[in-house]
């Protein structure tokens, strides 16, 4: 479905649907929450009743965002979540494209076979057959940028307000690492220029996102780099691992490991950086790369995951020791790509 076809189909949807649920992915990040809230505010301008639903809690650095108090966190109130899904006449998937990315919400979403679904996303490997309409652009910084484009098509002068602009800036800023990567065309900067205004201050938003560490979070970051980072020079790769006990020792709060995986990439020779974390019952992998090395491929082929060229994630059901061992077996297979 081309962007033009999506935009005209979506125009019809606005008059057709009155009760819309917007869902995003597990461990929601700034783009998941920002794009969902902005899209929700936008739909409300047409008299549509909306509910934003995320599988589990958002990180503390997003707690100040406009509209965040109204977000339904499925794993805290799954009964209400199921009720919302049953009553809605359109389900919108934002910032993910497969139900498996919604954690415990997965089963209930899959039961909604009769409810039409709309997709707005920038991840790879989408299966479009399940969507009544989709805007899926892999070479766009963020889902928030796509939502901004939709709103711009209807007219920023009519529909943009401070809440929407703030949410969209959070999404674009966090998915591009403050405009350091994942920028494929100048539109990203142009659209952000239009979101900033005398009452929407970029520096204020940036500070709310990045300068709100707890002391524990800062010390955990130091520990990761000095005690838990292994540099595999032969493969231009570095990894950090964190056990459940490490997280407990630093009184881990949701979001405290956000950004940790980016630090090893600051070493000149490093092409791939990985964070391996022991979570409840599963091992989470977070991958980042520089240049054309695809961590999406690595995550997809070996770690039940995926994502983007330079940022991806995955999970394994095993112990942390087994997860590290598997990772150490996988890396040499990519030696030629990592060292070329
Ligand atoms: P993060 O490392 O920040 O959790 O994720 C990096 C990127 O990969 C994000 O865009 C995220 O949506 C995507 N991602 C993370 N985990 C998975 C996964 O298990 N499967 C897929 N398909 N994408 C993932
Ligand atoms: Mn995103």
């Amino acid at each position: 479905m081309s962007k033009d076809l999506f935009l005209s189909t979506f125009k019809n949807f606005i008059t057709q649907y009155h009760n819309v649920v917007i869902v995003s992915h597990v461990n929601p990040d700034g783009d998941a929450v920002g794009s969902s809230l902005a899209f929700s505010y936008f739909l409300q301008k047409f008299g549509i009743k909306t509910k934003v639903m995320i599988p589990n809690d958002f990180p503390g650095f997003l707690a100040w965002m406009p509209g965040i108090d109204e977000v339904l966190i499925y794993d805290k109130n799954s009964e209400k979540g199921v009720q919302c899904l049953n009553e809605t006449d359109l389900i919108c998937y934002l910032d993910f494209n497969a139900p498996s990315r919604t954690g415990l919400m997965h089963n209930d979403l899959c039961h909604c076979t009769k409810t039409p679904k709309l997709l707005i996303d920038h991840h790879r490997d989408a299966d479009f057959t399940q969507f009544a309409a989709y805007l899926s652009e892999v070479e766009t910084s963020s889902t928030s940028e796509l939502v901004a484009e939709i709103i711009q098509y209807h007219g920023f002068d009519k529909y943009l307000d401070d809440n929407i602009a703030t949410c969209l800036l959070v999404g674009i800023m966090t998915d591009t690492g403050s405009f350091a990567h994942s920028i494929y065309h100048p539109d990203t900067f142009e659209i952000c220029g239009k979101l900033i205004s005398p009452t929407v201050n970029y520096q204020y938003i940036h500070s709310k996102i990045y300068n709100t560490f707890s002391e524990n979070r800062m010390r955990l970051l130091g520990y990761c780099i000095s005690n838990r980072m292994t540099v595999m020079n032969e493969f231009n790769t570095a990894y950090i691992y964190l056990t459940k006990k490490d997280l407990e020792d630093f009184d881990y709060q949701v979001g405290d490991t956000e950004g940790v995986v980016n630090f090893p990439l600051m070493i000149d020779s490093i092409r791939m950086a990985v964070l391996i974390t022991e979570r409840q019952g599963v091992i989470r992998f977070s991958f980042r790369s520089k240049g054309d090395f695809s961590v999406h491929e690595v995550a997809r082929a070996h770690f039940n995951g995926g994502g983007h060229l330079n940022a991806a994630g995955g999970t394994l059901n095993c112990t942390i020791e087994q997860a590290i061992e598997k990772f150490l077996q996988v890396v040499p297979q990519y030696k030629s790509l990592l060292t070329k």
Side-chain angles (χ1 to χ4, degrees):
M1 178 177 259
S2 68
K3 194 180 278 183
D4 286 344
L5 181 56
F6 171 84
L7 289 169
S8 59
T9 310
F10 176 70
K11 241 182 176 165
N12 293 333
F13 279 16
I14 291 173
T15 52
Q16 204 174 337
Y17 298 112
H18 308 289
N19 192 340
V20 172
V21 170
I22 297 162
V23 294
S24 198
H25 60 78
V26 71
N27 304 325
D29 54 16
D31 189 33
V33 174
S35 62
S36 297
L37 287 173
F39 193 55
S40 167
Y41 277 127
F42 174 60
L43 292 181
Q44 285 171 9
K45 294 188 184 242
F46 298 91
I48 297 169
K49 186 169 168 268
T50 61
K51 192 76 199 165
V52 173
M53 185 154 87
I54 50 178
N56 59 339
D57 212 349
F58 50 81
F61 58 80
L62 301 178
W64 60 276
M65 286 180 67
I68 196 90
D69 293 339
E70 299 301 316
V71 170
L72 178 59
I73 301 163
Y74 175 89
D75 75 358
K76 286 189 183 167
N77 194 348
S78 58
E79 253 173 56
K80 178 94 190 286
V82 171
Q83 190 192 339
C84 280
L85 288 174
N86 287 338
E87 287 171 0
T88 191
D89 40 33
L90 178 71
I91 301 175
C92 302
Y93 284 20
L94 267 78
D95 201 38
F96 74 104
N97 57 39
S100 59
R101 290 280 295 134
T102 60
L104 294 174
M105 215 158 85
H106 178 195
N107 274 344
D108 289 326
L109 262 188
C110 288
H111 282 137
C112 303
T113 47
K114 296 212 175 80
T115 316
K117 297 187 183 70
L118 174 145
L119 173 76
I120 307 173
D121 179 49
H122 67 136
H123 291 90
R124 287 165 188 245
D125 296 344
D127 167 13
F128 299 120
T129 53
Q130 57 179 320
F131 299 105
Y134 54 85
L135 180 59
S136 169
E137 302 264 322
V138 170
E139 296 212 334
T140 295
S141 70
S142 54
T143 302
S144 295
E145 185 176 333
L146 293 172
V147 171
E149 278 184 43
I150 296 169
I151 301 175
Q152 182 167 240
Y153 171 79
H154 289 83
F156 272 164
D157 47 340
K158 264 205 218 142
Y159 296 105
L160 190 66
D161 62 27
D162 287 1
N163 286 339
I164 292 179
T166 301
C167 293
L168 294 175
L169 280 168
V170 167
I172 301 171
M173 180 196 294
T174 52
D175 258 27
T176 60
S178 306
F179 304 97
H181 56 74
S182 314
I183 292 170
Y184 303 92
H185 41 67
D187 304 12
T188 309
F189 291 105
E190 280 166 19
I191 227 150
C192 287
K194 292 175 185 162
L195 299 177
I196 293 163
S197 71
T199 48
V200 178
N201 183 324
Y202 175 76
Q203 291 168 75
Y204 171 81
I205 296 169
H206 192 277
S207 198
K208 287 294 242 184
I209 295 289
Y210 293 106
N211 299 339
T212 50
F213 276 49
S214 63
E215 181 181 340
N216 272 325
R217 182 177 173 191
M218 184 57 72
R219 294 204 184 277
L220 174 62
L221 171 61
Y223 176 79
C224 286
I225 296 168
S226 60
N227 296 50
R228 287 285 195 236
M229 183 174 76
T230 304
V231 177
M232 304 164 74
N233 280 313
E234 192 186 348
F235 305 109
N236 294 336
T237 293
Y239 72 93
I240 292 170
Y241 74 92
L242 286 171
T243 64
K244 208 160 153 271
K245 177 157 186 316
D246 292 331
L247 297 177
E248 283 162 10
D249 288 348
F250 288 90
D251 187 27
Y252 171 81
Q253 305 294 314
V254 177
D256 280 358
T257 54
E258 199 79 25
V260 168
V261 66
N262 296 314
F263 282 88
L265 277 190
M266 292 167 83
I267 302 170
D268 193 16
S269 60
I270 296 301
R271 298 285 307 277
M272 172 166 70
V274 186
L275 174 68
I276 308 171
T277 320
E278 190 178 15
R279 293 281 155 88
Q280 293 103 325
V282 293
I283 306 297
R284 274 287 310 156
F285 283 78
S286 209
F287 300 91
R288 297 291 184 274
S289 65
K290 282 192 303 223
D292 59 4
F293 183 76
S294 172
V295 284
H296 165 75
E297 277 311 312
V298 177
R300 194 192 51 80
H302 307 281
F303 301 97
N304 307 309
H308 312 280
L309 180 77
N310 295 133
T315 47
L316 286 183
N317 276 304
C318 62
T319 65
I320 185 112
E321 291 81 11
Q322 289 166 330
I324 294 169
E325 202 176 300
K326 161 107 185 197
F327 174 70
L328 295 178
Q329 281 166 9
V330 165
V331 175
Q333 299 173 32
Y334 292 89
K335 183 172 180 177
S336 60
L337 292 171
L338 284 162
T339 56
K340 78 172 181 182

